[in-house]
């Protein structure tokens, strides 16, 4: 017994835990009636009713009248007094969309596969529809969304707001994605590169928290990076900083899709990795190769060890130029951990100046690969909402 405060297992801490269970259920499912909350949490209807009342008084949830199965019911959703922000992130083969009250507080999220050969306008329409569905599913009006960030795995020209070159998205070059989304959803939209967004996510909630000079390295189908300087994302003069995939590591190497020769991407991108294995292993997906490498397949391990070495050679240049404290590896390849990190470290030690190489740490990213960019997108959308609110106040 602890008469002065909630001890573990006490009535008070049980109540606290149940409140969190109700909040989690609402977050997971968007909006729920109290009967549905009872079903999801296994709590009694009376307990749910009390907990919802407490959460409402605390301002943590909002209640809306609705009709379910022809009967009047109260819909419970996460409170959003200053509106919601959203992120729609295009991956190599999917779209992931989230709406949230802030970067750490996702209200609802959804993932949808995307065909590799989709048209840009189709991708944009799908993302807009997904955002609308999430808002509706969570019991929110379209106007509750205050800002949206769209992430694309391609370089973005900060001046024009257009896709600078195609990256892994054929058919997107020159498309004004932000303008199209703004028109579809009637909110301020900002477009950014997914590696940049993942770096922001890692800086806000992951392994780059509290790091002044660092880098997020994304290795999946392609290679990209987001650079953190002074704790903030460094975008460069036109917004394309961090395009490490097109750093030349062999002047006489294979011709890259960017037109240059011997770019890092031609050595460690999925095409290179899968191409090297085709004669011996047949046609595999990147996911297959990673799974086989984890199971001990010697050929699959070898291609990633080589990739780690090439990444280290390119990173040595970055280490010399920026003298970072920490480089974190994200993207699908991060699942391989030390298999890639060890040869990367060796190459950095071999190729970078000793004092810079000695101070840089190389580690796996803190957030899961499909989460870092979404969290970063929500972080940037949160900033966008704030500046829009300040601008509105100044006008009013
Ligand atoms: Zn290139």
């Amino acid at each position: 017994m602890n008469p002065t405060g909630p001890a573990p297992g006490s009535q008070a801490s049980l109540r606290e835990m149940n409140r969190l269970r109700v909040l989690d259920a609402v977050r997971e499912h968007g909006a729920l009636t109290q009967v549905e909350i009872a079903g999801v949490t296994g709590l009694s209807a009376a307990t749910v009713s009390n907990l919802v009342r407490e959460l409402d008084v605390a301002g943590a949830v909002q209640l809306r009248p609705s009709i379910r199965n022809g009967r009047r019911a109260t819909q419970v959703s996460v409170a959003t007094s200053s509106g919601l922000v959203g992120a729609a992130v295009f991956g190599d083969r999917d779209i992931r969309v989230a709406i949230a009250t802030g970067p750490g507080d996702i209200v609802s999220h959804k993932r949808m596969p995307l065909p590799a050969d989709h048209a840009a306008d189709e991708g944009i329409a799908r993302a807009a529809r997904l955002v609308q569905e999430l808002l509706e599913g969570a019991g929110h009006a379209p106007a509750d969304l205050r800002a949206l960030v769209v992430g694309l795995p391609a370089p973005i020209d900060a001046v024009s707001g257009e896709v600078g070159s195609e990256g892994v998205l054929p058919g997107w070059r020159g498309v004004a994605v932000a303008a199209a989304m703004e028109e579809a959803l009637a909110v301020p939209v900002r477009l950014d590169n997914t590696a940049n967004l993942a770096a922001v996510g890692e800086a806000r909630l992951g392994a780059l928290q509290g790091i002044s000079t660092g880098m997020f390295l994304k290795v999946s189908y392609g290679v990209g990076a987001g650079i953190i300087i002074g704790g903030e994302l460094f975008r460069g003069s036109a917004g394309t900083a961090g395009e490490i995939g097109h750093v030349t590591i062999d002047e006489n190497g294979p011709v890259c899709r960017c037109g240059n020769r011997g770019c890092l991407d031609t050595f460690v991108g999925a095409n290179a990795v899968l191409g090297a294995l085709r004669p011996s292993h047949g046609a595999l997906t990147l996911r297959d190769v990673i799974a086989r490498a984890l199971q001990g397949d010697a050929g699959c391990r070898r291609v990633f060890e080589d990739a780690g070495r090439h990444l280290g050679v390119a990173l040595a240049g970055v280490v010399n130029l920026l003298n970072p404290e920490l480089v974190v590896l994200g993207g699908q390849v991060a699942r391989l951990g030390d298999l890639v990190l060890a040869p990367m470290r060796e190459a950095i030690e071999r190729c970078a100046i000793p004092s810079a190489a000695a101070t840089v740490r190389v580690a796996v990213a803190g957030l899961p690969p499909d989460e870092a960019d979404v969290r970063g997108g929500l972080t940037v959308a949160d900033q966008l909402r704030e500046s829009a609110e300040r601008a509105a106040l100044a006008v009013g």
Side-chain angles (χ1 to χ4, degrees):
M1 289 287 285
N2 179 355
T4 56
S10 69
Q11 279 296 350
S13 80
L14 186 67
R15 201 159 190 84
E16 179 67 42
M17 246 170 57
N18 285 341
R19 266 202 295 262
L20 286 176
R21 276 167 74 184
V22 169
L23 261 184
D24 283 345
V26 173
R27 247 179 228 136
E28 178 75 16
H29 296 270
L32 294 174
T33 63
Q34 299 201 12
V35 174
E36 289 167 337
I37 294 173
V40 170
T41 58
L43 297 167
S44 76
T47 305
V48 168
S49 170
N50 283 332
L51 293 170
V52 165
R53 198 175 316 124
E54 289 172 18
L55 287 166
D56 183 33
V57 169
V61 296
Q62 58 191 33
L63 310 179
R64 264 165 214 261
S66 76
I67 306 284
R68 283 285 161 101
N69 303 324
R71 299 177 60 180
R72 244 188 263 275
T74 304
Q75 226 177 28
V76 185
S77 56
V78 176
T80 51
S81 50
S82 57
L84 295 167
V85 293
V89 175
F90 288 79
D92 302 305
R93 299 285 180 271
D94 64 4
I95 318 177
R96 283 162 289 123
V97 175
I99 53 172
T101 52
D105 217 350
I106 290 176
V107 171
S108 185
H109 62 95
K110 200 168 185 177
R111 178 188 168 276
M112 229 177 115
L114 196 65
D117 55 351
H118 68 276
D121 53 356
E122 183 195 336
I124 292 166
R126 263 192 214 200
R129 209 159 46 237
L130 268 179
V131 172
Q132 285 160 342
E133 280 171 21
L134 284 188
L135 286 168
E136 203 174 309
H140 288 282
D144 289 345
L145 185 71
R146 303 292 158 79
L148 179 80
V149 165
V150 177
L152 285 178
I156 310 298
D157 187 313
V159 180
S160 66
E162 293 176 355
V163 179
S165 72
E166 301 200 325
V168 296
L169 292 169
W172 284 70
R173 183 172 192 164
V175 175
V177 181
M181 286 292 265
E182 272 181 5
E183 195 176 329
L185 295 167
V187 288
V189 176
R190 184 168 297 168
L191 184 63
D192 211 333
N193 167 274
T194 44
N196 276 350
L197 293 181
V200 172
E202 284 289 323
R204 175 72 188 253
L205 296 160
L208 291 172
Q209 276 179 84
I211 296 292
S212 175
T213 310
M215 192 165 108
F216 174 84
L217 182 66
K218 179 189 170 186
V219 187
S220 281
Y221 284 86
V223 194
I227 299 167
I228 300 290
I229 294 179
E232 302 280 337
L233 181 69
F234 176 77
R235 293 172 196 275
S237 63
T240 66
E243 280 299 321
I244 197 170
H246 299 283
V247 164
T248 306
I249 60 166
D250 179 1
E251 263 193 284
N252 303 311
V255 172
C256 180
R257 57 176 184 226
C258 75
N260 187 19
R261 289 188 73 157
C263 293
L264 178 62
D265 195 65
T266 64
F267 288 90
V268 306
N271 283 342
V273 166
L274 303 179
L277 286 166
R278 202 161 291 127
S280 55
H281 288 65
L284 294 172
T285 64
L286 182 61
R287 202 170 285 272
D288 293 337
V289 181
I290 292 170
R292 289 193 190 195
L294 287 170
Q295 286 160 11
D297 180 289
C300 294
R301 292 179 74 82
R302 175 59 195 264
V303 289
F304 286 119
E305 283 164 7
D306 290 347
R309 200 158 36 78
H310 296 309
L311 287 165
V313 170
L315 275 178
V318 174
V319 166
N320 281 351
L321 284 174
L322 298 182
N323 186 205
E325 302 163 60
L326 178 63
V327 174
V328 294
L329 177 67
Q332 285 195 46
V333 167
R335 288 180 56 208
L336 295 165
D338 271 335
L339 180 69
V340 176
L341 291 181
M344 223 162 103
R345 288 189 192 106
E346 271 173 44
I348 292 172
E349 274 166 33
R350 194 171 61 245
C351 304
I353 57 169
S355 56
T359 51
V360 66
R361 282 185 297 128
V362 178
V364 169
L367 299 173
D370 57 355
E371 201 182 307
D373 45 15
V374 171
R375 298 279 184 188
L378 294 172
T379 305
V380 176
D382 204 27
Q383 295 158 356
L384 189 59
R385 163 174 65 182
E386 254 187 64
S387 56
E389 276 168 4
R390 264 202 304 273
L393 278 177
V395 170

